[in-house]
Every structure is written in structure tokens, then in C-alpha cells.
Amino acid sequence: MESSRAARSHRSRPSRKRPLLYAALASVAIVGATAAGTVYVKAQAHSGTGVISSAGAPSDSSTAPGSAAASASASGKGEASVEPVTEPTVDHDALLAVAMKTVSVADTAEVSVAVVDPDSGASAGYGDGAFDTASIVKVDILATLLLQAQDEGRHLTAQEKSYATVMIENSDNDAASALWRGIGEADGLDAANERFGLTGTEGAEGALWGLTQTTAADQLTLLQQVFGTDSELSEASRTYLRGLMGQIAADQHWGVSAVADGSAWALKNGWMPRSATGLWVINSIGRVTVDGHDYLVAALSKGNTTKARGISLVEAATKAAVSVFTADGASASASSSASSAASASSASSASSASSAQ
């Protein structure tokens, strides 16, 4: 047991370890400012140090007698805890709706677009309803053929590969018709799509594969089967299909590719005039790389007066969709919010002025 003189000697001698302890505690401060708030780290130790905060020095009340911090300090027990901060929820659909306000859509036309960031899984969609696929269904036809071949434990035949190549790269209709029959037409397509997770796509009757009905959301699901890893298709099948979509004929370099970095894209387009109305179905689906980041995009349209106008529409919709995940989208949302706030303020002032008269 220590003598009383020794005890007094220990109490009066400054501790050499305390500066090191202060330095260690100071290094614990975590700066985590988010739109939802600031992360705080509480650290108490034998030295009696109070709350260390990224928001600045603690107020006097944090160490006042009777406060929680003072009680924790007096207990002589070291503690460290992190108060979780909830990340703000981003409404990507709302951002896309704002971005689409800049897209000009003819009175006779309709458009729907969907985009997903494969890395984060965040997605956005605009428009609804079903659209004729036209030639974008050729991706679905080949995906179905590859799935059936997997189930049978075989590779595609030389003839099937020949058809697949010209069907995707050149959008050859005769090759598509041959493979459509080979997969069992609508029944085969629908069975495969059920496994792929498509819920709003229905194969067309008979030989009219271009009239298959689909949605932008379903086409995004199909693209995830082709470009993702959580897929019914094997890695070899996905690689094969992606390769063909990356070698589209030069005269078909339009659509979702308009937003890509140079040739960093893989796509399939569809175009078809409806005989009853003369109006065009123009669609484009694929993967694009923008500022070094990949996105999957599906843009569908109908009721276009010309093919060229339809192409311009899906390209504008694609740019709007991708902007949701870039600074452009955030700026558009901020501008819209500022405009709304200004309008509300103006309306309020007008109302006040009217009441005063």
C-alpha cells in the first residue's frame, strides 16, 4: 500500500501520458457532413475529456456538473460510440421528370425511358404503357435461344451463329424470323422472359415478332440479364451477346449511343412504320459509358411522324435519363426547385398586395 506522502507525490506530478491521450482523442473526430446532418463521435476516457464533434468545440453545457458528459467522465470508464446518420433519399424518378421537361415531344408521339446505374443499383423511369418492340426484340430472341441452348447443354450451331450475327449487327429480318421460329415463337420467348424477370412483355402472334409488346422497365430488366452478373444466362452467353451488340453496323450508330463517350457503347435499335397510320416506332436499348461510368438505358417511342424525328426523340430522352446521375441532372433539379420557390414567393407577394388594396 502506498504511503500518504507517495500518494500526494503522484497527484502533484503532471502526467507525461496526458498530452498523448489528448492527441489520440483529437484524432477520433469524424467529419461526416451530409444533407441529413453531421456525424458525432462521443469519446470519454480516464482524462475526463468530453464530446469531440466535427461541428466544432462543445458548448459549456456539455461538461457542466450534472450533465451526461460529466457523469460519464466521473465514472472513469472509457467509451466510444457513433450516432448513425440516415442518408437522404434521392427521388431519381422526380429528377428524370424534371429533365424530361426539356425534351420536345410531338403531339402524336409518346416516349418512355428508363435508366439504371449498375454499380449502385439506382434507377429512374419516365412514362409507362406498352410499346411495339420493332427490332429491339432481336436481343430478346437471341437471349432466349442462348438460354434454351444452355438448358440443352449445347453450343449454338454454325447456322444459328450466322443468323445471330446478322440479326444483331445488321438487324436482318430474315435471320430474326428463322430464329423466332427456332425458339418456338411467342411461347418460347414468353417462357424465357418469365425466367429473366420480365413482367410486361408479351410475344407477338405468329410470325410478327416486331409487334411484341414491351415496356421500358422490362427492357432494362433484359439488359441487366445481358450486362449484369446475376443472370439466367451464363458468362459465355452474356459475353457473346454483348460482343454482337458492340459491333452494330455503321448506319445504325444512333439512339442510346448519342450520349456515350465515343464508341463506348453496346446497343440494339428498332424502327418500324405502322402501316395503318404511317407513324414510326423508334426504340433504342443498350449500355453506354459516360464520363467513364456505365449505364443501362432503354428508350421507347411511338407515333413519330418521321424516322428522323423518332431518332431525335429517343436520343434526347436518353440524354435526359443519364443526366439524372450526373451534375446536369442535379443542376436541373436545383433550377426547377429555385424556379418553383420563386413562383411561390411571387404568388404570395401578389396575394398580400391584393389583400392590402
Side-chain angles (χ1 to χ4, degrees), residues 310-338:
I311 290 174
S312 295
L313 177 57
V314 298
E315 289 184 344
T318 295
K319 292 175 182 177
V322 173
S323 77
V324 167
F325 296 98
T326 65
D328 292 341
S331 297
S333 177
S335 297
S336 176
S337 297

Side-chain angles (χ1 to χ4, degrees), residues 129-203:
F131 292 73
D132 295 325
T133 56
S135 286
I136 61 169
V137 75
K138 292 169 182 176
V139 173
D140 204 358
I141 292 173
L142 182 50
T144 297
L145 176 64
L146 290 167
L147 184 62
Q148 291 177 348
Q150 285 177 201
D151 291 344
E152 296 165 7
R154 68 175 182 86
H155 298 294
L156 298 188
T157 66
Q159 182 63 77
E160 287 172 334
K161 287 184 177 180
S162 178
Y163 283 145
T165 298
V166 294
M167 177 180 73
I168 300 297
E169 294 183 3
N170 303 101
S171 204
D172 186 272
N173 291 337
D174 291 337
S177 294
L179 294 183
W180 175 253
R181 292 190 296 270
I183 64 171
E185 299 184 341
D187 288 342
L189 189 82
D190 292 344
N193 282 341
E194 184 174 356
R195 293 169 62 181
F196 291 147
L198 279 65
T199 58
T201 300
E202 183 177 357

Side-chain angles (χ1 to χ4, degrees), residues 28-101:
V28 176
I30 297 176
V31 178
T34 67
T38 304
V39 175
Y40 291 86
V41 173
K42 296 179 180 177
Q44 293 86 27
H46 295 294
S47 65
T49 302
V51 177
I52 299 175
S53 168
S54 63
S59 64
D60 292 340
S61 61
S62 64
T63 55
S67 68
S71 299
S73 175
S75 69
K77 296 181 180 180
E79 298 179 0
S81 64
V82 176
E83 297 179 359
V85 175
T86 302
E87 290 291 336
T89 300
V90 178
D91 189 340
H92 291 104
D93 288 345
L95 289 177
L96 180 52
V98 171
M100 284 297 293
K101 290 180 180 179

